[in-house]
Amino acid sequence: QVQLVESGGGLVQSGGSLRLSCAASGSIFTINRMGWYRQAPGNQRELVAAITSGGSTNYADSVKGRFTISRDSAKKTVYLQMNSLKPEDTAVYYCNLNVPKATLPYVIDYWGKGTLVTVSS
């Protein structure tokens, strides 16, 4: 029932900006954390940015100062503003939702289908 719908990916020139959006829907009553991960060919999936229910944020060192994560709690939507984009940012970006669960392991992660961000040099 839980669904994450991503939007905002595309092609942008080096130095440009994009804003990704991820709207969560379904049987969601409590959210621990929402965030963005990315995966480039040959690389492992890595955390880009995350925001907890309390508003605390965490960023990968490679994007600090360039990316900003934010949320709209009422809309259950998380955003990723990406500025000063570099070719190294090219990857599939996945929205992540972490929620509590009644049974082991007491948390569960949901993932979006991914949106491709391509930064040209």
Side-chain angles (χ1 to χ4, degrees), residues 28-83:
I28 303 170
F29 304 100
T30 304
I31 295 174
N32 291 328
R33 181 180 68 250
M34 293 189 75
W36 294 92
Y37 289 70
R38 68 185 181 188
Q39 187 168 22
N43 292 350
Q44 292 185 326
R45 185 185 298 178
E46 64 174 351
L47 173 69
V48 179
I51 184 166
T52 69
S53 61
S56 298
T57 58
N58 186 39
Y59 297 93
D61 288 341
S62 60
V63 307
K64 287 181 179 178
R66 300 188 297 121
F67 292 10
T68 302
I69 190 168
S70 61
R71 65 177 178 182
D72 185 329
S73 297
K75 296 180 179 179
K76 297 180 180 178
T77 300
V78 65
Y79 307 93
L80 185 67
Q81 179 66 47
M82 304 185 294
N83 298 327

Side-chain angles (χ1 to χ4, degrees), residues 4-5 7-8 14 19 22-23 38 41 53 58 61-62 64-65 86 91-92 96-97 109 113:
L4 302 176
V5 179
S7 62
S14 180
R19 190 170 92 142
C22 174
R38 68 185 181 188
S53 61
N58 186 39
D61 288 341
S62 60
K64 287 181 179 178
K86 306 174 181 179
V92 177
N96 168 255
L97 170 67
D109 284 288
K113 294 180 180 179

